[in-house]
Amino acid sequence: MTRSGEEARELHLSVTVDEVNLILEGVGLLPFARVYALVAKVQQQAREQLGGKPAPEEPDAT
């Protein structure tokens, strides 16, 4: 759900890698707590489309 109570709708955009990087650069200027999930979602979809491997997971601190 969105803030207004409406169900979120998805958009499928077609942008270049450079354009995605520019978008992420701008989003990166916003508070981390507000954008971290969006950045992760963009990165995951880019990896899937470009055939990249996921980043290695951090080792457990336990």
Side-chain angles (χ1 to χ4, degrees), residues 2-23:
T2 62
R3 283 187 231 184
S4 65
E6 296 177 11
E7 196 165 320
R9 298 185 309 171
E10 288 193 10
L11 293 175
H12 297 271
L13 305 173
S14 181
V15 294
T16 67
V17 172
D18 286 341
E19 290 168 334
V20 169
N21 286 331
L22 181 59
I23 291 166

Side-chain angles (χ1 to χ4, degrees):
M1 292 251 180
T2 62
R3 283 187 231 184
S4 65
E6 296 177 11
E7 196 165 320
R9 298 185 309 171
E10 288 193 10
L11 293 175
H12 297 271
L13 305 173
S14 181
V15 294
T16 67
V17 172
D18 286 341
E19 290 168 334
V20 169
N21 286 331
L22 181 59
I23 291 166
L24 289 174
E25 185 179 333
V27 167
L29 298 174
L30 296 169
F32 177 77
R34 187 169 172 202
V35 300
Y36 74 94
L38 174 62
V39 171
K41 185 175 183 178
V42 169
Q43 290 174 331
Q44 174 63 34
Q45 289 183 31
R47 274 193 299 272
E48 290 171 1
Q49 292 181 41
L50 297 174
K53 296 180 182 177
E57 292 188 24
E58 295 287 327
D60 252 351
T62 56

